[in-house]
Structures are given as C-alpha cells and as structure tokens.
Amino acid sequence: MADIPEYMTYSYLRNLRQNNAAWRLLTADQAAFIAAFFYREFIAGKRRGIEAQELLERLDLFLYDAQRQSDGEAFGRSPQDYLEIWSDGSHGWLRKYEYREEWYYDLTAPAQKAVEWLVSLHKQDFVGTESRLRTVFNLLHEIARETDTDVAHRRAWLLEQQEKIAAELDELERSGVVKPRLDEVQIKERFLQAESTARAILADFREVEENFRELTRQVRDDVVKWTRGKGELLEKIFHESDIIRHSEQGRSFMAFWRYLMMSRQQEDFRATLEQVSQAEPVHELLAEHPIASINREWVRAAGSVQQTLGQLSAQLRRYVDEDYLREERTIYQLIRRIETAAVDLRADTSEKPVMTIQDMAPEIQLPMDRRLYAAPHATKLESPALQAGSGADGSLRAIFDQVVVDPERLQANLHALLAERPAVTLSEVLAVYPLEQGLPELLTYLVLASHEAGEAFDAEAVDRILFERDGRKWLAVCDRVVFRREDR
C-alpha cells in the first residue's frame, strides 16, 4: 500500500472537520446564504476590508432578498447577530478589526477557500489544456536551465536562441509579413489561464496574511511563557521577528512586492494588457472576464499585507516594552498566567472538558416542599448596670503583658554577621537568628532596613520567610532586604 500523507489520514480529517473554518462553512445549515453573501461582497467585489456599518446595511438588504427567494428557510437572526456570529472564534469566517477608530470586517482565508471551492464546482464551457501543458514544460525547462552551471550547456543554449532569432529576422526581411503563431483557440486558452492565475494571486493574499499572523502568534506565545532575563528576551524577539520576513512565505511576498512596485514593470503590464485587449478573441472575453484593474487590486491587497506586518511588529514591540513589563506587576503576572493557560489549552488536542457546569437545569422547588411556618422566638435582652470592682478577684497582668521587641538586640545580630561579610540578606539573618517574637520582630528588621544609608529594598526579587508563633507556622512574603556594612 502506498504511503498516505498525514493530512489525508482518517484521524487528521476527523480533527479537520471539527476545527477547520472552511469545512464548518460548507456544512453549515445556511451555507448557501453565507457563501452567496461572502462571494457578492468580498470576492466578486474584490474588496478587502468593509466598514462595519456599510456591511451591516448590505447584509440587511441581502437578507431581505434571501427571505423572499427562500422556500420556507428560516432566517431568525438580525444582521448584527449574523456578523457577530460569523466573526467569533468558533466560526472564524470574518475577521473584525479596528482601523482609525472604526470597525471593519474582512473575509478570512478559510472562508475564501470554501467559497472558491464552490465556485470551482461550476461547469466551465471551455477548459484549456494545451496552454497549461506548455506552462508545465516551460517551468521545468526554466528550472533546469537556470540551475545548470555547465559552461558548455549554457553556451549551446545561447547559440540555439541566437540561431532562432537570426532565422526569424531573415524571414521577416524576406517576406515583410509577421505570421501569428497562435490561433483563436490558443489565444482564448492562454488569456483565460492568465486571468485565472491573476485572480488566484489576489485570493492568495488572505492566506499569506493569515500565515504571517500565525508566525507572529508563535513568537507571541514564546514571549508569554518567557521566564528568564530581559536581555535574552530581546535577543529572542529580534531573532524570531526576522523569521516573519525571512521565511519562505516572507521572501516570496517581498520579491513579489518589489517586482510589482517597479514603475517599469507596472508600465509594461499596462501596455501589454492594452495590446492583448485589441486581439479579437480576447476582446470578446473582456465583458465576462475583466482584468484591466487587476494590477491596482494587487497593489491594494499587497499593501494590506504590508500594513498587517507593521501592526504585528508593533504588537511584538509592545510585548517587550519596558513600561509594559514594570508597571502593574501583580496584574501583569495574573494576565500572564491566564495567557499561558490559554496557550496550553489551545495546543491541547484532547477532548477533555475545558469547563464544567454544576447544574444543567434549573432547580425547581414546589410550594408544598417548603417547611411549615414556625413562630419566631422572642429575644430577651438584659442590660444590667455596671458596678465598680476592687480588682481583688482577678489579675491585671494580661493588660500589661504586651510584646516588646528590643531593636538593639536585632542590631547586634546584624553587626555580628556583617563583621564576617560586606552584605547579608534578611533571609540569611533569620537562618542564623530565627524569629522569636513573630511578626513584630520581622517588622522591626524592616524598620532597621529603612534606616540604612543606601537602598536596602530590592523590588525585583521576593523572599518568602517561614516562622512559628504560638505553635502555628506562618509565611511572610516581602521584597528582598539587603543589609550592608558601613565602612568608616
């Protein structure tokens, strides 16, 4: 049996059916309604991002027409609800984003793939094969020719091309007539293939943008889980930020962008397209296959990808910003734990439950299930008059038996340890002289630290101090305290 690739195994396809947005769209109850609207507004209109209010109005009109044409199909939601559902994480058919204080919607790459697949089901009146076969041969010949470093082979090919050009020039000078090399069928076939490839390039930009977002998401996940130093984090970010542009996807896109933005190439494309449009077979196809504005559409789509790259780079810079890591440390640590758990949960492909609900149905208590009425008992309050006592029956020692910490004793402990070393932390002091009076003694140490000439508190580190008091164990968490010897 031939080796089956992983992406066509039963387990992979089963998981794909549950998690792939394109597959979910094709199996949705209102797939025809959704795909028709997406094709009309985004693909046929060749639009990238549509302002939320405009798309809402268009969906309202489309929903009205669909209700008139449907055979009993129920559309029980409002246009706003449809847009919110299509853009949430469980569907993933629209991407909602903010730009210049306005909300926009754009079609995601999986949704476009699903709609394009439905378009491919349409039976074509003309299917060209000869031009595609020539394309395959030409591409293979180009690879073989441009990778061959043999001097003799290159020289032979150049001489062959020179002979062909010379023979064609002689024929042209002798006859004075240029003979067309393509018949009407070949012209149509090549034009349709060029038009299909051009639109495929336009459709690929959404997937290119999604791939860039996935690369950035991987880098951001590494940042969220980072536990080592800031310098190492910056080195990792700068290294992995280059992955976005230096990946195969990034290099191919940047080469496309540079080639497209050359004024010479744009002028050559416009002139060639204008010349091709004058051919009779192509002129007949332009009404159903307009391609005149495809160059501008490429520029807009590629510009949108460039804008996405800029936004993603800004997000990476925000993750390593100095103030972002310092301010609100407690809140940042809590958010970091939540993000880490979310990343681990997304990577977990098992079917274990994420969240449990205690009760799946409301608890109903019937009137007869309640207990009978019971009369409340009256509460009697007594307020006797206070009388002065003599104190002969009790001891007043408890009033004066308060905890008094001697700071000179603690200072002597510090001097004893600082005589042996230039600096000592509070944890090291307590390891030699354990706390005897509990929290008041610990607070006295902190008061002594506040009187130090230099900065004794290190906010970047935390110490956990364990001590016993009245037979119970207590844990104190505080900033690291460092006592230093005063050289006189």
Side-chain angles (χ1 to χ4, degrees), residues 297-308:
E297 294 165 7
W298 282 343
V299 173
R300 285 198 297 266
S304 178
V305 177
Q306 288 282 26
Q307 180 182 353
T308 300

Side-chain angles (χ1 to χ4, degrees), residues 358-389:
Q358 183 176 1
D359 295 323
M360 295 298 295
E363 182 179 354
I364 300 176
Q365 184 178 14
L366 299 176
M368 298 304 296
D369 291 340
R370 303 175 183 175
R371 64 184 183 88
L372 298 177
Y373 171 79
H377 297 284
T379 302
K380 296 181 179 181
L381 300 177
E382 296 181 0
S383 180
L386 297 178
Q387 298 179 357

Side-chain angles (χ1 to χ4, degrees), residues 35-53:
F37 179 72
F38 287 169
Y39 181 82
R40 173 181 174 179
E41 298 301 328
F42 292 97
I43 298 178
K46 295 185 278 296
R47 303 188 63 179
R48 295 284 299 178
I50 301 178
E51 199 269 330
Q53 185 61 34

Side-chain angles (χ1 to χ4, degrees), residues 416-429:
L417 293 178
L418 291 175
E420 303 175 356
R421 63 190 79 175
V424 62
T425 64
L426 179 58
S427 299
E428 295 173 343
V429 174

Side-chain angles (χ1 to χ4, degrees), residues 80-230:
Q80 181 66 41
D81 291 340
Y82 276 119
L83 292 181
E84 294 296 333
I85 292 173
W86 295 344
S87 60
D88 64 15
S90 61
H91 292 80
W93 301 331
L94 291 178
R95 182 173 66 89
K96 185 179 182 181
Y97 62 96
E98 187 177 7
Y99 177 66
R100 294 182 179 178
E101 300 182 356
E102 296 290 342
W103 287 102
Y104 287 80
Y105 287 96
D106 192 12
L107 197 64
T108 61
Q112 176 156 353
K113 283 185 176 181
V115 178
E116 293 285 356
W117 183 79
L118 293 175
V119 174
S120 67
L121 297 181
H122 175 66
K123 184 179 179 180
Q124 300 181 15
D125 297 332
F126 175 74
V127 178
T129 55
E130 185 261 347
S131 63
R132 286 184 289 179
L133 179 62
R134 285 182 177 271
T135 300
V136 172
F137 274 90
N138 291 336
L139 291 175
L140 294 178
H141 287 159
E142 182 182 0
I143 295 174
R145 182 175 62 252
E146 299 301 333
T147 57
D148 190 358
T149 58
D150 189 279
V151 177
H153 292 173
R154 185 69 176 182
R155 184 173 182 275
W157 180 79
L158 291 174
L159 290 175
E160 181 183 357
Q161 299 302 313
Q162 183 179 5
E163 292 175 359
K164 290 181 179 180
I165 293 174
E168 185 174 352
L169 286 174
D170 292 342
E171 177 66 22
L172 182 62
E173 292 177 356
R174 183 173 57 255
S175 63
V177 178
V178 178
K179 297 180 181 179
R181 297 186 178 184
L182 299 177
D183 58 23
E184 182 178 348
V185 175
Q186 291 176 324
I187 294 175
K188 286 185 177 181
E189 185 176 347
R190 283 158 176 74
F191 176 79
L192 291 177
Q193 183 182 0
E195 191 258 351
S196 176
T197 304
R199 297 199 178 280
I201 293 174
L202 189 63
D204 288 343
F205 278 115
R206 283 194 174 93
E207 188 166 3
V208 171
E209 186 175 348
E210 182 62 28
N211 291 342
F212 284 146
R213 291 182 182 278
E214 181 62 29
L215 285 173
T216 306
R217 190 179 299 116
Q218 295 174 6
V219 177
R220 193 164 60 242
D221 291 348
D222 294 340
V223 174
V224 169
K225 293 184 176 181
W226 192 260
T227 57
R228 295 195 289 274
K230 179 70 176 295

Side-chain angles (χ1 to χ4, degrees), residues 180 182-189 191-192 273-289:
L182 299 177
D183 58 23
E184 182 178 348
V185 175
Q186 291 176 324
I187 294 175
K188 286 185 177 181
E189 185 176 347
F191 176 79
L192 291 177
L273 191 59
E274 183 178 356
Q275 181 180 354
V276 170
S277 302
Q278 301 302 323
E280 186 66 25
V282 174
H283 189 71
E284 299 175 357
L285 297 174
L286 289 178
E288 297 182 3
H289 303 275

Side-chain angles (χ1 to χ4, degrees), residues 30 33-34 63 66-68 70 72-78 82:
Q30 297 179 337
F33 167 72
I34 301 170
L63 185 61
Q67 288 174 339
R68 295 177 55 189
S70 64
E73 185 176 0
F75 298 94
R77 299 183 183 274
S78 65
Y82 276 119

